[in-house]
Amino acid sequence: MLENKNFFGGQYPAATGRPELAGPAEEVCVPGYWKDFFGTYQKLSPQELKKRSLDMQRLLKENGVTYTIYNHSTGHQRSWEIDTIPYIIPEEEWVQLTKGLEQRAALLNLILQDIYGPQRLIRENIIPAELIYEHPGFVRQMVGVGIKGNSYLPFYSADMARSADGQFWIMADRTQAPSGSGYALENRQAMSRALPELFAGMPVRRLSTYFDAVYNTLVGIAPRGIENPRIVVLTPGSGNETYFEHAYLAAFLGLSLVEGNDLMVKGDHVWLKTMEGLEKVDVIMRRVDDSYCDSLELRPESLLGIPGLLHVVRKGNIALANPLGSSVVENAGLVPFLPRIAQYFGLGDLWLPSIATWWCGQEKEKEYVLEHFTELIIKKIYRSGGGKASVFDGAALSEKEKLNLKAAIQKQPQLYIGQEKVVFAATPISENEHVTAGHAVFRSFLVNDGQQVNVMPGGLTRTGDDKDGIIISNQIGSLSKDTWILGEDAAENIAAVQQHRWKNTVNNHAGTLPSHTAETLFWVGRYIERVIGNARLLKTVVQYIFQGNRQESDNTFTAEEILLRALTAVTYTHPGFIEGEDHADALANPWPELRDLVLNEQRTGSLAFTLHQFRNNIFSTREYWNLDIWKVIHQMDNNWVKAALLPQGDPVGIIESIESVTNSMYAILGLNRESVRRDQGWRMMDTGRKLEQSLNSIVLLKSVFAAKQEEGAEHDLIESVLSCNQSLVTYRYTYRDYLQMPLMLDLLVLDTENPKALSYMIGKLKANIQHLPKSENNGQRLSEQERLLLEADTKIRLADKYALSKINPKTQEYQALQTFLDEIYDLLFPVAELVSKAYFKHTVTQTQLIESLPIL
Amino acid sequence: MKYQVTHTTIYDYTQPVSLCQNIAVLKPRETPLQKCLAARLDIDPLPDNLFEYEDFFANQVVYFAIEHEHQRLSVTSTLLLENNYSGVPATPMFNTQPWSESLTDNALNDIAVRQYAFATPITSASPEIRDYALRSFPQGRTLFDGVKDLMHRIFRDFTFRSGHTTIATPPAEVMHLRVGVCQDFAHIALACLRSLRIPARYVSGYIETIAPKGKEKLVGADASHAWFSVFIPGMGWMDFDPTNDQIPSGQHITVAWGRDYFDVVPLKGVILGSGDNELEVLVDVRRVK
């Protein structure tokens, strides 16, 4: 294949092992599937490929595919990257691989069944007891509990790599809560959208059958007698490295995404706290490590689980996927014993070989590992928590690290293994418009419903450019690839699983909202309006100053100063322009403080800070928002990054940045309004919005209209406030009159038809709260929050615009208006707290009780 | 000898608590030397849910939950026991093997025994702890004599004083401070023994205290107690109390055993609620006719 030889142009670095593409005699001999692939690939020009690659990156970013890296300096998500060249496994190889993986999944399931049952493997000396009893994944509470249908390992993943001779090897087993299937699906979707022509003529298998099997398995493992189970996805929360995937899978499978404190144990069941009360949960798809799942019996410091969960497990009233204790077979120490175990269980020889492994718990093996230290990979039998390394390349360690590791092995030899280094096959990677060789680790995904093992016809491939390609993990940063399994999907299988799925999805409790989500939506609503309110006022003030009004009046108490003070009051950024030693300077030269109020993310109340809060809240209800909204947020973030780079004293630039933020917020609100059902979630968010808008509006009116100003200044103030509230045009259209207090108050306070008027917003608040679920024992009586809103509403309806505009002749203050606004504020302010008490009870904290020390 | 034990634990919360889940390991297990004649658990307020089961180590465990608002929780365990320590040898008569040979005994292959040779976080050994242990086990000494010597040295080298350690103080630190309470001493002994891969377990229970001469014993002045037990081939499990430098001989009442304190916490719980709680514990152990 001459053209391919040219194409690769000698790009393979010499030292990286034999490429997949090379034949035994070093002449370029490209397998047929690569020939087909590159036949199409080469038709795309380097420029076009670069563009498509960026398209893919953009699609992934817009879909919010992120991966959190712990201890990263920014502490933030980073986006996921994907290669334009997929990882390809041809059909014949895949058939063999599938056999091996199914056997491995069955084997590990049998081991778990034995460890948490009769422990014959240990009693009959098939495996050493240390491997199980000293592994932190061994959950003693689970011994003898029993799992329905012996489904000990519903989810299993294997990390695999191909050695230079083409053989696939299992590098590591993942049995705790294997992640990555969501990323695999995203990779496929991005690739098929950005590079559709590459799929032409290649029989690439579809991934969807796997996800149907996942759903069916979750239904199938439900406790006995439950036909339509309530299934939830348990996540540690939005700070977790793979939170994106938890939210993604929950949305894809139509399940509720919950955190530990959304659930509780009462009686002999697990319950989901929803706005309508408690709902029984039957199945938990677990993404929290088992030791964190029950602070009563496991790690007491954990706030991620459900105290009492093990009690419900003992009672057989909850199914977990994977069950607690499954991670004990995520155990490198088992590897050398697997062939014997397989024989013991009558599974015959292993289809997929393990890499030669020496367990240091045996004297001879330990000596071998210590002697051949630099030729081996050293692994701890379990993964250490807290980001500590548990895999070491003996040769890559410094002398000191070597000594330390050797000492650790001498101290606890039973916790370490040595593993042969395998030279991995190179696989083509695109890099700077060239194809070079890299190494790939491929993670496969299996789901086992107890009767049948289903392997995802695809997987998650990650590549690294490190020389040996040994320790590849997303935590240390690598590129991913779409994974192509070649072959035909069996049509009847697809039909069968889908039919089965529909039967079960009917009525899967879609509408009820976990109270935790309800609370976050409430805060999303509040922060959207806080961002808009702050942004519009900032813009109004900056514009007003920029237009040079300050020269026109020599009155010291000018409109400008009043607006600056109002800005401090509305954003709660005291002392600011109101008090303190520097406030006179700040009033004289407001630009540094204004810039700070826009851009300083560290400062509570600044626009940057409020935006950050908004982002945190919307991110932790990720499953609730559609793709278009993520696109807007992504776009907004891109623009916002530019704002930080603006030079000092660039009011136009600042105004543009602020406008871009408000436009994004309106876009989000619009998209939400057009696409979301008016269910509890929507009402919760709207309640947050209306409450924030009302309070914001009251504070603005109160701080701007404290006292009567001379004509010109008052005109400017009314104009600014109206413009800030987006009501200037409405005013002119409605009244066709000059700007004056009574009419402004009519429009901004009393008008029941103006969406920016207090009266209108409070009416909406009343309606929202009426539609939220009520506690049963309250009967027909009004709740406290309803009573407060009714009183505020009545006060506003009875108010008179002329009476409110009256000035105290002695002080020249708008006394009536001030008193009135104070009253309304005091009625509205407690509503937030009351709503929170009524619907977000989960915020109550857990406390550990432990009896005192024995003191004798 | 017959004993009656009353063990009361009271929590007073500053704020009402709406949900409280607990695990109590208060009911004694049967041993060849001890029989439980009666055991009662009184919980106030009455629990909404209660479930009794045997744990991994075959201890008797009670899970209970109070699912309504309450501001005070009181748990009282009342036990009537009989023990018979006559005939327990003070020195081994059968086993004269050097300790290192004892460890290769077939009996130690049984996982029920061997599991107690594995360290836990609170019984993990620092190099100092291992060195300390080895001084009690010179070559050729029997396992029994070695353990007895270790018990004696802990009694001699460590000062009994409460308030210097907590349930979470790591053994290396206790070894350095040389002070602690009974469970620290039990944990130190376990760390020492397990560093030599000797199977040893943590025992939780009570001990009868004798009032000073001429004085009436105060009710509730006793406390729960902890010591350790070692598997000696040919003899089985033998108890050692490093706090009192003695091999229990009738005044010890065994409740439960495990790898360490955390396997057999007498009473632990999680409450849903903020605010503090105040704890009061009363233990009374007395002989009955």
Side-chain angles (χ1 to χ4, degrees):
Chain A
M1 283 306 303
L2 203 66
E3 57 199 274
N4 275 326
K5 199 171 184 178
N6 289 341
F7 185 82
F8 292 118
Q11 289 293 331
Y12 284 122
T16 50
R18 243 168 27 211
E20 255 167 42
L21 306 161
E26 293 301 319
E27 82 271 22
V28 176
C29 163
V30 181
Y33 56 91
W34 277 127
K35 205 174 93 185
D36 293 343
F37 175 81
F38 280 111
T40 329
Y41 192 79
Q42 281 177 102
K43 289 185 189 144
L44 298 166
S45 67
Q47 294 76 15
E48 185 62 20
L49 273 171
K50 194 168 182 190
K51 188 190 150 288
R52 302 293 189 89
S53 172
L54 290 173
D55 282 348
M56 266 200 302
Q57 249 44 274
R58 184 179 51 77
L59 280 167
L60 287 168
K61 255 189 201 163
E62 284 176 358
N63 289 2
V65 184
T66 52
Y67 189 90
T68 313
I69 308 252
Y70 289 124
N71 304 325
H72 198 251
S73 56
T74 59
H76 258 300
Q77 293 89 24
R78 61 171 235 172
S79 51
W80 182 256
E81 287 183 29
I82 173 181
D83 194 4
T84 49
I85 303 176
Y87 189 66
I88 302 180
I89 302 176
E91 188 167 14
E92 323 79 75
E93 257 184 282
W94 181 247
V95 171
Q96 295 301 312
L97 209 50
T98 305
K99 264 190 198 165
L101 286 169
E102 287 174 351
Q103 184 193 40
R104 183 90 156 199
L107 179 60
L108 294 177
N109 196 88
L110 283 168
I111 296 174
L112 284 168
Q113 194 180 327
D114 179 68
I115 289 169
Y116 292 109
Q119 299 199 340
R120 282 164 49 206
L121 290 173
I122 294 173
R123 288 176 203 285
E124 297 176 28
N125 289 318
I126 309 291
I127 57 172
E130 287 85 345
L131 284 182
I132 305 303
Y133 277 70
E134 295 204 68
H135 192 290
F138 179 43
V139 177
R140 286 166 176 76
Q141 287 88 338
M142 289 302 292
V143 175
V145 167
I147 301 275
K148 190 190 100 175
N150 285 322
S151 183
Y152 280 89
L153 196 60
F155 294 111
Y156 166 62
S157 280
D159 285 343
M160 289 177 290
R162 206 199 300 246
S163 60
D165 60 2
Q167 171 73 50
F168 270 106
W169 302 85
I170 291 187
M171 316 285 299
D173 299 295
R174 291 280 177 264
T175 63
Q176 168 90 268
S179 61
S181 58
Y183 292 94
L185 191 55
E186 271 296 330
N187 277 357
R188 171 62 53 82
Q189 286 176 355
M191 181 114 188
S192 58
R193 275 184 64 188
L195 287 156
E197 58 270 70
L198 295 183
F199 289 80
M202 301 283 283
V204 179
R205 292 189 56 188
R206 306 185 337 174
L207 306 181
S208 60
T209 51
Y210 169 79
F211 291 95
D212 290 325
V214 166
Y215 186 86
N216 289 335
T217 296
L218 292 171
V219 171
I221 62 170
R224 269 174 237 287
I226 294 179
E227 291 200 347
N228 190 10
R230 167 68 119 145
I231 307 167
V232 299
V233 179
L234 177 64
T235 172
S238 56
N240 184 266
E241 52 178 1
T242 54
Y243 178 74
F244 154 76
E245 181 172 273
H246 309 163
Y248 184 83
L249 287 177
F252 192 82
L253 296 168
L255 310 173
S256 304
L257 181 69
V258 303
E259 292 178 26
N261 58 9
D262 289 325
L263 303 176
M264 71 182 288
V265 169
K266 198 170 178 178
D268 295 334
H269 292 275
V270 174
W271 303 86
L272 173 63
K273 296 180 234 177
T274 76
M275 292 192 47
E276 314 219 22
L278 298 179
E279 274 195 31
K280 187 157 74 69
V281 174
D282 308 298
V283 180
I284 296 174
M285 181 174 174
R286 173 171 73 83
R287 288 300 178 94
V288 172
D289 282 359
D290 37 25
S291 61
Y292 288 87
C293 279
D294 180 355
S295 62
L296 180 61
E297 294 197 49
L298 302 168
R299 280 175 182 261
E301 75 276 14
S302 168
L303 295 175
L304 304 176
I306 312 122
L309 180 64
L310 270 161
H311 170 69
V312 183
V313 170
R314 277 189 196 100
K315 287 285 180 178
N317 288 336
I318 187 89
L320 285 95
N322 286 342
L324 298 176
S326 62
S327 70
V328 71
V329 293
E330 198 169 301
N331 188 334
L334 281 174
V335 171
F337 301 94
L338 287 178
R340 260 177 91 190
I341 304 171
Q343 294 295 342
Y344 182 82
F345 287 126
L347 294 184
D349 292 331
L350 292 178
W351 281 90
L352 272 173
S354 305
I355 301 175
T357 304
W358 294 266
W359 177 53
C360 299
Q362 291 150 306
E363 196 57 35
K364 262 167 68 190
E365 279 76 358
K366 182 180 81 181
E367 291 310 319
Y368 180 87
V369 170
L370 291 174
E371 261 170 48
H372 299 83
F373 204 72
T374 50
E375 300 150 39
L376 298 173
I377 300 298
I378 313 292
K379 287 185 183 176
K380 224 171 162 182
I381 65 168
Y382 50 84
R383 281 193 287 163
S384 334
K388 266 193 275 173
S390 48
V391 181
F392 310 90
D393 178 355
L397 297 175
S398 71
E399 283 308 313
K400 198 180 162 208
E401 287 168 331
K402 266 182 217 164
L403 282 177
N404 286 344
L405 185 56
K406 281 184 174 177
I409 295 175
Q410 288 289 10
K411 194 183 164 203
Q412 294 180 300
Q414 73 278 12
L415 302 186
Y416 292 87
I417 57 135
Q419 204 161 58
E420 191 182 37
K421 264 186 212 174
V422 175
V423 179
F424 292 112
T427 194
I429 290 180
S430 71
E431 192 180 271
N432 304 327
E433 296 154 39
H434 292 292
V435 175
T436 63
H439 298 285
V441 170
F442 159 66
R443 177 174 290 187
S444 64
F445 299 93
L446 286 86
V447 57
N448 181 356
D449 65 2
Q451 292 150 20
Q452 209 187 339
V453 182
N454 187 305
V455 187
M456 178 197 279
L460 181 61
T461 304
R462 292 160 303 152
T463 63
D465 43 16
D466 50 314
K467 264 202 174 157
D468 303 302
I470 298 150
I471 309 165
I472 297 185
S473 143
N474 288 321
Q475 290 284 26
I476 57 171
S478 7
L479 180 72
S480 79
K481 278 172 171 289
D482 187 17
T483 308
W484 290 9
I485 309 299
L486 304 181
E488 295 299 325
D489 291 306
E492 68 276 18
N493 283 352
I494 298 173
V497 284
Q498 278 177 351
Q499 205 176 14
H500 186 60
R501 177 167 174 186
W502 287 119
K503 203 175 80 198
N504 283 294
T505 34
V506 181
N507 196 4
N508 195 19
H509 320 265
T512 47
L513 198 62
S515 29
H516 177 258
T517 312
E519 183 181 22
T520 313
L521 290 174
F522 175 78
W523 280 103
V524 168
R526 290 200 72 163
Y527 277 114
I528 287 183
E529 289 306 333
R530 198 168 293 178
V531 168
I532 293 177
N534 291 0
R536 291 200 62 94
L537 184 57
L538 270 165
K539 186 187 138 190
T540 308
V541 174
V542 170
Q543 239 163 6
Y544 189 76
I545 297 172
F546 183 52
Q547 282 161 5
N549 295 336
R550 56 171 36 214
Q551 282 85 33
E552 285 174 20
S553 164
D554 53 9
N555 190 337
T556 49
F557 214 61
T558 56
E560 183 184 307
E561 287 190 15
I562 291 174
L563 286 174
L564 287 170
R565 284 160 186 273
L567 188 58
T568 302
V570 167
T571 55
Y572 292 94
T573 49
H574 302 80
F577 295 107
I578 295 185
E579 59 214 9
E581 287 173 21
D582 304 326
H583 89 275
D585 291 346
L587 285 172
N589 175 19
W591 293 114
E593 171 75 358
L594 283 171
R595 193 184 151 84
D596 204 54
L597 281 180
V598 176
L599 293 174
N600 183 355
E601 197 170 312
Q602 308 303 319
R603 185 168 176 190
T604 312
S606 75
L607 189 59
F609 175 87
T610 315
L611 258 182
H612 185 72
Q613 299 293 91
F614 159 76
R615 232 183 263 120
N616 279 350
N617 276 286
I618 202 161
F619 195 77
S620 60
T621 45
R622 168 180 274 290
E623 77 284 9
Y624 190 83
W625 309 96
N626 68 36
L627 215 54
D628 298 321
I629 286 183
W630 291 115
K631 285 185 191 170
V632 173
I633 291 173
H634 175 61
Q635 197 59 46
M636 178 181 79
D637 283 348
N638 278 353
N639 291 340
W640 187 248
V641 171
K642 289 177 208 149
L645 305 173
L646 289 174
Q648 290 276 356
D650 176 8
V652 180
I654 284 198
I655 289 172
E656 276 173 6
S657 308
I658 296 173
E659 267 178 346
S660 146
V661 167
T662 44
N663 289 343
S664 304
M665 291 293 148
Y666 290 131
I668 291 167
L669 289 173
L671 286 166
N672 192 46
R673 189 167 50 234
E674 295 309 315
S675 63
V676 167
R677 285 190 65 231
R678 295 325 190 234
D679 58 6
Q680 292 167 359
W682 191 85
R683 287 196 187 284
M684 224 53 238
M685 182 175 140
D686 199 55
T687 302
R689 285 185 58 204
K690 294 295 185 295
L691 204 55
E692 183 71 28
Q693 274 183 303
S694 308
L695 294 172
N696 187 65
S697 179
I698 292 173
V699 174
L700 179 63
L701 286 170
K702 224 179 108 61
S703 51
V704 173
F705 300 106
K708 172 92 185 144
Q709 306 300 326
E710 54 89 21
E711 273 318 280
E714 183 143 298
H715 174 275
D716 286 3
L717 289 174
I718 293 176
E719 188 178 38
S720 296
V721 167
L722 282 169
S723 143
C724 189
N725 268 316
Q726 290 174 289
S727 297
L728 192 57
V729 177
T730 320
Y731 184 100
R732 296 211 162 108
Y733 184 80
T734 311
Y735 304 112
R736 302 182 188 281
D737 204 341
Y738 69 94
L739 297 177
Q740 50 178 294
M741 276 299 275
L743 294 187
M744 180 202 71
L745 290 176
D746 190 51
L747 187 65
L748 291 186
V749 179
L750 309 180
D751 192 334
T752 52
E753 302 299 325
N754 177 16
K756 301 290 166 188
L758 270 179
S759 174
Y760 177 92
M761 293 187 286
I762 290 172
K764 285 284 173 199
L765 270 173
K766 265 174 66 189
N768 281 339
I769 286 186
Q770 250 167 23
H771 280 91
L772 291 176
K774 287 194 174 100
S775 68
E776 279 160 24
N777 50 18
N778 217 18
Q780 291 304 305
R781 275 176 294 143
L782 293 179
S783 63
E784 180 66 6
Q785 57 272 26
E786 282 175 305
R787 199 187 61 71
L788 292 172
L789 288 172
L790 180 63
E791 194 178 336
D793 191 36
T794 313
K795 267 197 175 14
I796 292 174
R797 280 165 187 272
L798 295 175
D800 174 79
K801 54 179 178 283
Y802 297 106
L804 288 180
S805 313
K806 281 227 173 81
I807 304 156
N808 179 331
K810 275 190 212 153
T811 58
Q812 289 293 300
E813 282 171 0
Y814 284 115
Q815 206 172 357
L817 178 66
Q818 293 284 324
T819 313
F820 174 79
L821 290 172
D822 279 341
E823 282 171 5
I824 303 294
Y825 189 90
D826 290 345
L827 288 168
L828 290 185
F829 187 76
V831 170
E833 181 69 28
L834 289 165
V835 167
S836 150
K837 258 197 187 150
Y839 300 107
F840 318 142
K841 282 177 204 140
H842 70 275
T843 40
V844 185
T845 50
Q846 277 179 32
T847 314
Q848 285 284 327
L849 297 177
I850 273 214
E851 211 205 319
S852 72
L853 307 177
I855 47 164
L856 248 182
Chain B
M1 213 86 74
K2 265 191 195 174
Y3 284 104
Q4 180 175 313
V5 179
T6 342
H7 178 174
T8 303
T9 310
I10 298 168
Y11 291 101
D12 268 305
Y13 313 123
T14 52
Q15 304 279 325
V17 164
S18 58
L19 178 66
C20 168
Q21 288 152 316
N22 302 270
I23 286 183
V25 186
L26 292 166
K27 195 172 168 182
R29 54 192 299 161
E30 301 264 318
T31 77
L33 300 175
Q34 170 187 300
K35 235 170 96 176
C36 180
L37 304 173
R40 212 178 71 204
L41 193 64
D42 292 297
I43 302 163
D44 180 40
L46 273 181
D48 299 278
N49 197 6
L50 188 144
F51 179 62
E52 220 171 310
Y53 63 96
E54 206 171 82
D55 74 4
F56 181 76
F57 307 98
N59 297 307
Q60 301 296 309
V61 179
V62 174
Y63 166 91
F64 66 89
I66 294 155
E67 295 167 354
H68 56 274
E69 204 161 273
H70 61 290
Q71 215 161 343
R72 181 178 192 269
L73 169 67
S74 141
V75 179
T76 301
S77 161
T78 314
L79 312 171
L80 189 64
L81 302 122
E82 185 168 29
N83 65 26
N84 179 8
Y85 273 79
S86 63
V88 176
T91 51
M93 286 172 290
F94 321 108
N95 193 331
T96 52
Q97 276 178 316
W99 69 273
S100 49
E101 281 172 34
S102 287
L103 293 184
T104 58
D105 195 286
N106 259 340
L108 265 58
N109 268 337
D110 184 356
I111 183 63
V113 172
R114 198 142 71 94
Q115 61 170 320
Y116 293 105
F118 307 148
T120 61
I122 200 77
T123 61
S124 65
S126 59
E128 291 75 29
I129 288 178
R130 202 180 130 85
D131 288 346
Y132 186 88
L134 273 171
R135 266 175 266 152
S136 282
F137 291 92
Q139 246 182 1
R141 186 177 276 178
T142 66
L143 182 56
F144 180 89
D145 288 343
V147 177
K148 203 173 162 191
D149 183 67
L150 179 68
M151 167 179 79
H152 177 68
R153 284 173 54 227
I154 292 174
F155 175 76
R156 192 191 63 201
D157 296 345
F158 287 68
T159 310
F160 185 94
R161 209 181 295 146
S162 57
H164 288 260
T165 53
T166 70
I167 45 171
T169 309
E173 200 181 320
V174 177
M175 181 50 90
H176 180 73
L177 292 171
R178 299 279 167 119
V179 292
V181 295
C182 61
Q183 61 174 199
D184 296 314
F185 302 159
H187 282 156
I188 281 286
L190 294 173
C192 284
L193 295 165
R194 289 174 186 170
S195 76
L196 305 176
R197 290 304 226 190
I198 298 171
R201 63 195 183 197
Y202 180 98
V203 187
S204 132
Y206 306 100
I207 186 170
E208 180 200 25
T209 50
I210 313 289
K213 253 192 179 154
K215 291 207 174 156
E216 183 73 9
K217 202 182 124 183
L218 298 171
V219 175
D222 295 323
S224 41
H225 188 46
W227 57 97
F228 68 93
S229 189
V230 177
F231 186 84
I232 296 176
M235 298 181 74
W237 289 98
M238 287 209 62
D239 286 7
F240 297 85
D241 181 354
T243 311
N244 296 299
D245 192 22
Q246 59 166 260
I247 290 169
S249 56
Q251 286 162 300
H252 288 66
I253 293 154
T254 299
V255 172
W257 60 63
R259 293 167 301 160
D260 57 32
Y261 170 79
F262 298 101
D263 280 337
V264 288
V265 181
L267 185 63
K268 63 180 176 185
V270 175
I271 55 170
L272 217 54
S274 35
D276 266 342
N277 60 73
E278 232 173 70
L279 169 75
E280 193 184 354
V281 183
L282 295 167
V283 178
D284 189 55
V285 181
R286 52 188 59 227
R287 291 180 198 214
V288 290
K289 291 271 153 74

